Amino acid sequence: MVAILSLMVVMGFMMLGEWVSTRSRAYVPSVFITALLFLVGFWTIVPKNIVPAASFGTAFIQITQAVLLVHMGTLMDLKLLLKQWRAVVIALSGVVGTVVLTMGIGRLLFDWHTIVASVPPLTGGLVAAFLMTAGLKAQHITELVAFPVAMFVMHSMLGYPLTAWMLKRESRRLLQVRHVDVTVATADSATSATVQTTAQLPVCPLPTVPAKVKSVQPQLRHWQLPAAYDTSAFMLFKVAAVTGLAEWTAQLAHGTVNQYIICLVFGVIAHQLGFLEDAVLEKAGVFHWLMYGLLAYIFANLNIVKISMLSGILIPIVTLIVLGVLGMWIASSLLARPLGFSREMAFASALTALFGFPADYIVTHEVTEIMGSTAEEKQYLLDQMLPKMLVGGFATVSVASVIIASIFLKIL
């Protein structure tokens, strides 16, 4: 009974977040509302262990994070992924802008330890927050343990809505460009047809296509089974096989490359080879369950944040957030035009440092669902924005944040 009630509460928070996002047309992202509900719930009547009680425990997450990143690889075309080096440069420049501004101006306003404990979560969201928390506990600097988690809570409240706003502005721009392109193409076709009609070209019989050619069906690739055997279990088996190979490779690398980056790369390769289908976990019917579980696990970490913790450090946290986001905006704006980005898209890519995956994926999907009026428009917006957001988030949260947190722990 406890497990069912816990699951009901967790999914209720997710549901309310989605409803508010839909009602606000994605100006208020669902992850922001859900995080707020968890935070208030932990302060009042929600048990601290509600998420593991709902079945989203450590073992579940160890599987979920890896297989979801393999799944992300099946959403990207390799050529498209390689083209996103500009998004990586812009996202990393945003991290540099954050560090420069917070360590520069912030040092004039607050003490050294406060800045060092607070800045890494601005460059890597939850990952950096808990790396810093663990490091501070290990060094017995207990008075600063609250800063990294509090920073994550506070900057998320700004980062989610601001990113959604930037993506909505970018969506409007992209749809206008698409509308102009379609209009021009239609006009060109009409002009061409008029010229041909006016010239009164002789009508020649079109060559007929042999019946055998018309009836040719696409050939199954040698590792794909007929539809009757291509079941959800078979898809999940293939995903597990690719994930296991990726994690084994990460172990051989001894942590030189983050294991989740390797999972992403292996997902892309397996998809390009035809071993994994497009959006494989969605076709297997388990994607949303895994995504909700991962989100719940992330929000469960808010159970250590107390009201007194936030009220005592509110001024330095808010000040550093403003400086950090301003640094992201300045750095991304400077590189936007040279790298062929709009300022909105560049800033959104830089903002992925505040939260990373899966929030970047969810916010982008919510915006495209709201802004696209047809399935074609929604897919067009996803193709244009999602690769930039995912790659930017991986570069900052999975790579840069780990490096920065490690450096900052050494200079405490």
Side-chain angles (χ1 to χ4, degrees), residues 310-323:
L310 289 179
S311 60
I313 57 180
L314 190 61
I315 292 177
I317 292 295
V318 171
T319 303
L320 291 173
I321 288 173
V322 172
L323 290 174

Side-chain angles (χ1 to χ4, degrees), residues 66-390:
V67 299
L68 278 174
L69 287 169
V70 170
H71 169 81
M72 291 299 108
T74 68
L75 300 178
M76 300 183 195
D77 181 85
L78 183 59
K79 293 180 181 178
L80 186 63
L81 184 62
L82 294 176
K83 290 179 181 178
Q84 300 311 318
W85 65 269
R86 296 176 178 85
V88 173
V89 172
I90 288 176
L92 293 179
S93 73
V95 171
V96 173
T98 295
V99 173
V100 169
L101 223 58
T102 51
M103 298 293 287
I105 299 177
R107 185 67 182 88
L108 303 175
L109 304 174
F110 309 108
D111 66 89
W112 174 253
H113 283 166
T114 297
I115 295 172
V116 173
S118 305
V119 168
L122 268 174
T123 66
L126 189 65
V127 175
F130 281 91
L131 283 174
M132 291 302 298
T133 300
L136 289 168
K137 288 180 179 178
Q139 296 187 32
H140 305 290
I141 311 177
T142 55
E143 67 274 11
L144 296 178
V145 168
F147 275 81
V149 180
M151 173 63 80
F152 168 71
V153 173
M154 295 300 296
H155 79 54
S156 297
M157 294 180 180
L158 173 64
Y160 295 151
L162 185 57
T163 303
W165 185 44
M166 289 294 107
L167 290 178
K168 292 189 79 169
R169 289 172 60 90
E170 175 67 1
S171 296
R172 292 192 188 96
R173 186 190 70 82
L174 289 171
L175 290 175
Q176 289 176 354
V177 171
R178 184 173 185 270
H179 178 71
V180 170
D181 290 343
V182 170
T183 302
V184 171
T186 303
D188 289 345
S189 298
T191 302
S192 176
T194 303
V195 170
Q196 289 183 13
T197 302
T198 305
Q200 295 182 349
L201 295 174
V203 178
C204 299
L206 293 175
T208 58
V209 181
K212 290 184 180 180
V213 175
K214 292 180 181 178
S215 62
V216 169
Q217 298 296 324
Q219 294 291 324
L220 286 173
R221 279 176 264 194
H222 61 275
W223 46 56
Q224 288 184 325
L225 299 177
Y229 298 95
D230 195 15
T231 63
S232 295
F234 180 56
M235 295 179 194
L236 290 174
F237 169 79
K238 292 192 293 182
V239 172
V242 174
T243 306
L245 183 60
E247 294 198 338
W248 178 69
T249 304
Q251 290 177 358
L252 292 179
H254 300 292
T256 305
V257 182
N258 186 278
Q259 70 178 55
Y260 296 131
I261 296 177
I262 295 178
C263 286
L264 174 68
V265 172
F266 273 51
V268 173
I269 294 172
H271 176 245
Q272 292 297 304
L273 294 175
F275 185 67
L276 293 180
E277 298 87 340
D278 296 334
V280 60
L281 292 182
E282 292 185 35
K283 290 183 178 178
V286 298
F287 171 75
H288 290 96
W289 177 252
L290 295 176
M291 183 65 77
Y292 286 135
L294 179 57
L295 278 174
Y297 183 80
I298 291 174
F299 294 137
N301 291 293
L302 299 176
N303 63 9
I304 67 172
V305 180
K306 300 179 181 178
I307 297 178
S308 58
M309 182 188 300
L310 289 179
S311 60
I313 57 180
L314 190 61
I315 292 177
I317 292 295
V318 171
T319 303
L320 291 173
I321 288 173
V322 172
L323 290 174
V325 172
L326 181 60
M328 288 182 187
W329 180 77
I330 292 173
S332 62
S333 296
L334 290 175
L335 290 179
R337 180 168 293 181
L339 293 180
F341 276 50
S342 66
R343 287 188 176 181
E344 292 81 2
M345 191 68 247
F347 190 26
S349 297
L351 285 169
T352 57
L354 298 180
F355 39 80
F357 177 82
D360 50 7
Y361 177 90
I362 294 172
V363 171
T364 306
H365 264 267
E366 287 181 346
V367 170
T368 57
E369 284 294 319
I370 295 296
M371 299 302 294
S373 57
T374 65
E376 290 76 14
E377 286 185 355
K378 293 174 183 178
Q379 189 60 48
Y380 170 74
L381 293 176
L382 273 180
D383 291 342
Q384 295 295 318
M385 298 191 300
L386 186 59
K388 298 179 178 68
M389 294 295 289
L390 288 178

